[in-house]
Amino acid sequence: RSLSERFEEQAKRNPERIAVVSGATALTYTELNERANQLARVLRAEGVEADQPVGVLLERSADILVSILGVLKAGGAYVPMDTMYPQERIDYMLQDSGAKVV
């Protein structure tokens, strides 16, 4: 089973348990799963297909986990990028990976 399928199972078993804490933000498994599903729908609507690279460019937060799960649920492959990278590095990573969605 895929990581996203295993996460879905965990969310069903423990819907109200805290899944992630980042600073003052805490998300339950249900909240995290719903946000990831919402992002996956948006990504699919944007044309993300199986194994298509999707750039994830965020500061460290709960949103990174939402993004990674959303990309995986959409069938894509996430390309992690650090907001501290110089723009030239980010541009290279996007070009090299072929990511059309960030």
Side-chain angles (χ1 to χ4, degrees):
R1 291 185 321 262
S2 69
L3 176 65
S4 58
E5 290 170 330
R6 288 175 181 229
F7 180 79
E8 289 271 348
E9 291 171 5
Q10 182 69 11
K12 286 178 184 174
R13 281 194 304 268
N14 300 292
E16 298 307 315
R17 292 190 73 183
I18 299 297
V20 62
V21 175
S22 178
T25 302
L27 298 176
T28 65
Y29 280 97
T30 296
E31 292 168 328
L32 180 56
N33 194 42
E34 287 174 354
R35 289 184 187 191
N37 286 339
Q38 181 181 23
L39 178 58
R41 286 189 295 275
V42 169
L43 291 172
R44 280 191 222 106
E46 290 293 322
V48 172
E49 298 175 346
D51 300 323
Q52 179 180 344
V54 176
V56 175
L57 178 62
L58 293 168
E59 293 184 15
R60 290 181 184 239
S61 67
D63 290 335
I64 288 178
L65 192 50
V66 170
S67 297
I68 292 169
L69 283 169
V71 169
L72 295 175
K73 285 174 176 252
Y78 75 94
V79 178
M81 296 179 288
D82 193 312
T83 58
M84 299 304 289
Y85 288 166
Q87 187 61 49
E88 297 81 27
R89 174 74 177 150
I90 293 169
D91 293 342
Y92 173 78
M93 291 177 74
L94 292 172
Q95 181 181 4
D96 188 54
S97 69
K100 294 179 177 71
V101 177
V102 179

